[in-house]
Amino acid sequence: MAAHKPVEWVQAVITRFDEQLPIKTGQQNTHTKVSTEHNKECLINISKYKFSLVINGLTNILKNVNNMVSSCKKVISKRTGLLSQQHAAQLRSSASAVLFSLSCNNFNAVFSRISTRLQELTVCTEDTVDVHDIELIQYINVDCSKLKRLLQETVLKFKALKKPAQLAVINSLEKAFWNWVEYYPDEFTMLYQRPQADMADSAEKLFDLVDSFAESAKRKAAVWPLQIILLILCPEITQSISKEVVEDSKTNKKLFLESLRKALAVHGSSKQLTESAAIACVKLCKASTYINWEDHSVIFLLVQSIVVDLKALLFNPTKPFSRGTGCQSADVDLMIDCFVSCFRINPHNNQHFKVCLASTSPPTFHFVLVNSLHKIITNSHLDWWPKIDAIYCYSGELRAMFADTQSRVVQSLSAHAPLRMTPSLTFKEKMTTSLKFKEKSADLDSRSLLLALVKLIHADPKLMLHNPGKQGQEIQNSTTELIIGLVQLVPLTHTSELSQEAMEALLVLHQPETIELWNPDTPIETFWDIRLSKLPY
């Protein structure tokens, strides 16, 4: 059948891939995850023979995701909207992972599709345009030479594009830059040791085009994150505009940096520009961590000039940073990127760490802290990035956070039955139901934090077992409490992912080299004492 009906067969595989994603099936178990991975491999293999069909199918999936996210923003329930967006993000991630793999060996074909669509849009007279082919830019594998091709192509066609297409290019190129930096960090590091004139030339030309496009505050807010990246691609220009007097062609770059600093300050300009400045400055900090400090780049001076105001904006417990409903996930990601970058820049300047750790800080700050630590542990592939042991001294506070969160989650799961909505409610019943939903929302937030904490234990058990200055029995007691807390999560049927992660964390804690940390003074005795007299298994 496949030989005679290739279109139908390819479409069937794409449909099966789409239907097995979390947005359709709910929380994935081990079987569905394996099946999804198998479908990814099938699509990659099929693309060798029917590349265009596979690309079309995946592009349509991503198009549907964008429509889904737009619909989520109109959902009244904050919790329902947030969960739908999380599923949409998982769907986008799965589809984009396949596109990324396809582009590794088929970049010219994908580039040709993007280039053709850009050309079509330069002569398009319609106000509403389909930009989904342009958005492929953000999902593909790009090394230094491929990024230069994308920049050069954009420079040629940007000015003739309609505004929606220009915004799609701006957003997609920014994501392509991070694909390059994260998958080819050595190439980016080398750029600051041996600047490339052709890369800088294209980046500067595009900076100027985008600068002309940004004629209003709204447009400035849309382009600032890309503009900072384009400047980062021009090390020599960044060096030249750090001087008091600059040549006329570079004046707009200097003014741009001054506008960023002004918008980021406490009494800056509009809220919209302040938020965009925060995004751009986090990207500057993040990019700087991929540059070796021994290269003495001026970019580090730029970071030092904005990082105090940046942390004051993002980590203010009395006025948490928020871009409004529908942006919660993006705000958390921004704070995590800032936290991780600040740690890599200076692991000993940890004021924001203490703010996030404080019990009086908003729950979002705790979530950001724990997920940042997990990222530091699991993503540490550059030699000059500091290791997590720089903050082992806060193990006690993290254990207390785990114990408190674990207790709240276990109590809530045992105390609350599922809510049932009736067709007609009195005002009093509506108010009661509203309070229950708020309570349920808080429970879900606690579960998310607890899951993150358990993943943190799994990633590095030493972080939670570290007990500086404590005696043997004290160490044993804290280890016992930690292990019992995890054991109590294993039988929970309400949250299978939490139960599975708790089992994984327990397995790591029971590795021989980790058992020795249960109580370094008497590890074997402590092991048997905890196993035989404390644990319910």
Coordinates of all heavy atoms in Angstrom, one line a residue, residues 284-325:
L284 N 21.4 39.2 26.9 CA 22.8 39.7 27.0 C 23.6 38.9 28.1 O 24.7 38.5 27.8 CB 22.8 41.2 27.3 CG 24.2 41.8 27.5 CD1 25.1 41.7 26.3 CD2 24.0 43.3 28.0
C285 N 23.0 38.8 29.3 CA 23.7 38.1 30.3 C 23.9 36.6 30.0 O 25.0 36.1 30.2 CB 22.8 38.2 31.6 SG 22.7 39.8 32.3
K286 N 22.9 36.0 29.4 CA 23.0 34.6 29.0 C 24.1 34.4 27.9 O 24.9 33.5 28.0 CB 21.6 34.1 28.5 CG 21.6 32.6 28.1 CD 20.2 32.2 27.7 CE 20.2 30.7 27.2 NZ 18.8 30.3 26.8
A287 N 24.1 35.3 26.9 CA 25.1 35.1 25.9 C 26.5 35.3 26.4 O 27.4 34.7 26.0 CB 24.8 36.2 24.8
S288 N 26.6 36.2 27.4 CA 28.0 36.5 28.0 C 28.6 35.3 28.6 O 29.8 35.2 28.7 CB 27.9 37.7 29.0 OG 27.3 37.3 30.2
T289 N 27.7 34.4 29.1 CA 28.2 33.2 29.8 C 28.9 32.2 28.9 O 29.6 31.3 29.3 CB 27.1 32.5 30.6 OG1 26.1 31.9 29.7 CG2 26.4 33.4 31.6
Y290 N 28.6 32.4 27.6 CA 29.2 31.5 26.6 C 30.5 32.1 26.1 O 31.2 31.5 25.2 CB 28.3 31.3 25.4 CG 27.1 30.4 25.7 CD1 25.9 30.9 26.3 CD2 27.1 29.0 25.4 CE1 24.9 30.0 26.6 CE2 26.0 28.2 25.7 CZ 24.9 28.7 26.3 OH 23.9 27.9 26.6
I291 N 30.9 33.2 26.6 CA 32.2 33.8 26.2 C 33.2 33.6 27.4 O 32.9 33.9 28.5 CB 32.0 35.3 25.9 CG1 31.0 35.5 24.8 CG2 33.3 36.0 25.5 CD1 30.5 37.0 24.6
N292 N 34.4 33.2 27.0 CA 35.4 33.0 28.1 C 35.8 34.3 28.7 O 36.2 35.3 28.0 CB 36.6 32.3 27.5 CG 37.5 31.7 28.5 OD1 37.7 32.2 29.6 ND2 38.1 30.5 28.2
W293 N 35.8 34.4 30.0 CA 36.2 35.6 30.7 C 37.6 36.0 30.4 O 38.0 37.2 30.4 CB 36.0 35.5 32.2 CG 34.6 35.5 32.6 CD1 33.6 34.5 32.6 CD2 33.9 36.7 33.1 NE1 32.4 35.0 33.0 CE2 32.5 36.3 33.4 CE3 34.3 38.0 33.4 CZ2 31.6 37.2 33.9 CZ3 33.3 38.9 33.9 CH2 32.0 38.5 34.1
E294 N 38.4 35.1 30.0 CA 39.8 35.4 29.7 C 40.0 36.2 28.4 O 41.0 36.7 28.1 CB 40.6 34.1 29.6 CG 40.8 33.3 30.9 CD 41.5 32.0 30.7 OE1 41.9 31.7 29.6 OE2 41.7 31.3 31.7
D295 N 38.9 36.3 27.6 CA 38.9 37.0 26.4 C 38.7 38.5 26.6 O 38.9 39.4 25.7 CB 37.8 36.6 25.4 CG 38.1 35.2 24.9 OD1 39.2 34.7 24.9 OD2 37.1 34.5 24.6
H296 N 38.4 38.9 27.9 CA 38.3 40.3 28.3 C 37.4 41.1 27.4 O 37.7 42.3 27.0 CB 39.7 40.9 28.4 CG 40.6 40.2 29.3 ND1 40.4 40.2 30.7 CD2 41.7 39.5 29.1 CE1 41.4 39.4 31.2 NE2 42.2 39.0 30.3
S297 N 36.3 40.6 27.0 CA 35.4 41.3 26.1 C 34.7 42.4 26.8 O 34.3 42.3 28.0 CB 34.4 40.3 25.5 OG 33.4 41.0 24.8
V298 N 34.4 43.5 26.0 CA 33.6 44.6 26.6 C 32.2 44.2 26.9 O 31.5 44.9 27.7 CB 33.6 45.8 25.6 CG1 32.7 45.5 24.4 CG2 33.2 47.1 26.2
I299 N 31.7 43.1 26.4 CA 30.4 42.6 26.8 C 30.2 42.4 28.3 O 29.1 42.6 28.8 CB 30.1 41.3 26.0 CG1 28.5 41.1 26.0 CG2 30.8 40.1 26.6 CD1 28.1 40.0 25.0
F300 N 31.3 42.1 28.9 CA 31.2 41.9 30.4 C 30.9 43.2 31.1 O 30.3 43.3 32.1 CB 32.4 41.2 30.9 CG 32.6 39.8 30.3 CD1 33.9 39.5 29.7 CD2 31.6 38.9 30.3 CE1 34.1 38.3 29.1 CE2 31.8 37.6 29.8 CZ 33.0 37.3 29.1
L301 N 31.5 44.3 30.6 CA 31.2 45.6 31.1 C 29.8 46.0 30.9 O 29.2 46.6 31.8 CB 32.2 46.7 30.5 CG 33.7 46.5 30.7 CD1 34.5 47.5 30.0 CD2 34.0 46.5 32.2
L302 N 29.2 45.6 29.8 CA 27.8 45.9 29.5 C 26.9 45.2 30.5 O 26.0 45.7 31.1 CB 27.4 45.5 28.1 CG 28.0 46.3 26.9 CD1 27.5 45.7 25.6 CD2 27.5 47.8 27.0
V303 N 27.3 43.9 30.8 CA 26.5 43.1 31.7 C 26.6 43.8 33.1 O 25.5 43.9 33.8 CB 27.1 41.7 31.8 CG1 26.5 40.9 33.0 CG2 26.8 40.9 30.5
Q304 N 27.7 44.2 33.5 CA 27.9 44.8 34.9 C 27.1 46.1 35.0 O 26.6 46.4 36.1 CB 29.4 45.0 35.2 CG 30.2 43.8 35.4 CD 31.7 44.0 35.5 OE1 32.1 45.2 35.5 NE2 32.5 43.0 35.5
S305 N 26.9 46.8 33.9 CA 26.2 48.0 33.9 C 24.7 47.9 34.0 O 24.0 48.8 34.4 CB 26.5 48.9 32.6 OG 25.9 48.3 31.5
I306 N 24.2 46.7 33.8 CA 22.7 46.5 33.8 C 22.2 45.4 34.8 O 21.0 45.4 35.2 CB 22.1 46.1 32.4 CG1 22.8 44.9 31.8 CG2 22.3 47.3 31.5 CD1 22.2 43.6 32.1
V307 N 23.1 44.6 35.3 CA 22.7 43.4 36.1 C 22.0 43.8 37.4 O 21.1 43.1 37.8 CB 23.9 42.4 36.3 CG1 24.9 43.0 37.3 CG2 23.4 41.0 36.7
V308 N 22.5 44.8 38.1 CA 21.9 45.2 39.3 C 20.4 45.6 39.1 O 19.5 45.2 39.8 CB 22.6 46.4 40.0 CG1 21.9 46.8 41.2 CG2 24.0 45.9 40.4
D309 N 20.1 46.5 38.1 CA 18.8 46.9 37.9 C 17.9 45.7 37.4 O 16.7 45.6 37.7 CB 18.7 48.0 36.8 CG 19.2 49.3 37.4 OD1 19.0 49.5 38.6 OD2 19.6 50.2 36.6
L310 N 18.5 44.8 36.6 CA 17.8 43.7 36.1 C 17.3 42.7 37.2 O 16.2 42.4 37.2 CB 18.7 42.9 35.1 CG 18.1 41.6 34.5 CD1 16.9 41.9 33.7 CD2 19.2 40.9 33.7
K311 N 18.2 42.4 38.1 CA 17.8 41.6 39.3 C 16.8 42.3 40.2 O 15.9 41.6 40.7 CB 19.1 41.1 40.1 CG 19.9 40.2 39.3 CD 21.0 39.5 40.2 CE 22.0 40.4 40.7 NZ 23.1 39.7 41.5
A312 N 16.9 43.6 40.3 CA 16.0 44.3 41.1 C 14.6 44.3 40.5 O 13.6 44.3 41.2 CB 16.4 45.8 41.3
L313 N 14.5 44.2 39.2 CA 13.2 44.2 38.5 C 12.6 42.8 38.6 O 11.4 42.6 38.9 CB 13.4 44.6 37.1 CG 12.1 44.5 36.1 CD1 11.1 45.5 36.6 CD2 12.5 44.8 34.7
L314 N 13.4 41.7 38.3 CA 12.9 40.4 38.2 C 12.7 39.7 39.5 O 11.9 38.8 39.7 CB 13.8 39.5 37.3 CG 13.9 39.9 35.8 CD1 14.8 38.9 35.1 CD2 12.5 40.0 35.2
F315 N 13.5 40.0 40.5 CA 13.5 39.3 41.8 C 13.1 40.3 43.0 O 13.8 40.4 44.0 CB 14.8 38.7 42.1 CG 15.2 37.6 41.1 CD1 16.2 37.9 40.1 CD2 14.6 36.4 41.0 CE1 16.5 37.0 39.1 CE2 14.9 35.5 40.1 CZ 15.9 35.7 39.1
N316 N 12.0 40.9 42.8 CA 11.4 41.8 43.8 C 10.2 41.2 44.4 O 9.1 41.1 43.8 CB 11.0 43.2 43.2 CG 10.5 44.2 44.2 OD1 10.3 43.8 45.4 ND2 10.3 45.4 43.8
P317 N 10.3 40.6 45.6 CA 9.2 39.8 46.2 C 8.0 40.7 46.5 O 6.9 40.2 46.6 CB 9.8 39.3 47.5 CG 11.0 40.1 47.8 CD 11.5 40.6 46.5
T318 N 8.2 42.0 46.7 CA 7.0 42.9 47.0 C 6.3 43.3 45.7 O 5.2 43.7 45.8 CB 7.5 44.1 47.8 OG1 8.4 44.9 46.9 CG2 8.2 43.8 49.1
K319 N 7.0 43.2 44.6 CA 6.3 43.5 43.3 C 6.8 42.5 42.2 O 7.7 42.9 41.4 CB 6.6 44.9 42.9 CG 5.9 45.4 41.7 CD 6.2 46.8 41.3 CE 5.4 47.3 40.1 NZ 5.8 48.7 39.7
P320 N 6.3 41.3 42.3 CA 6.8 40.2 41.3 C 6.6 40.7 39.9 O 5.6 41.3 39.5 CB 5.9 39.0 41.7 CG 5.5 39.3 43.1 CD 5.3 40.7 43.2
F321 N 7.6 40.3 39.1 CA 7.6 40.6 37.6 C 6.5 39.9 36.9 O 6.3 38.6 37.1 CB 8.9 40.3 37.0 CG 9.0 40.6 35.5 CD1 9.3 41.8 35.1 CD2 8.8 39.5 34.6 CE1 9.4 42.1 33.7 CE2 8.9 39.8 33.2 CZ 9.2 41.1 32.8
S322 N 5.7 40.5 36.2 CA 4.6 39.9 35.5 C 4.2 40.7 34.2 O 4.0 41.9 34.3 CB 3.4 39.7 36.3 OG 2.3 39.2 35.6
R323 N 4.1 39.9 33.1 CA 3.6 40.6 31.9 C 2.1 40.3 31.6 O 1.6 40.5 30.5 CB 4.4 40.0 30.7 CG 5.8 40.6 30.6 CD 6.7 40.0 29.5 NE 7.2 38.7 30.0 CZ 7.9 37.9 29.2 NH1 8.1 38.2 27.9 NH2 8.4 36.8 29.7
G324 N 1.4 39.8 32.7 CA 0.0 39.6 32.6 C -0.4 38.2 32.3 O 0.4 37.3 32.1
T325 N -1.7 37.9 32.3 CA -2.3 36.6 32.1 C -1.9 36.1 30.8 O -1.9 36.7 29.8 CB -3.8 36.7 32.2 OG1 -4.2 37.3 33.5 CG2 -4.4 35.3 32.1

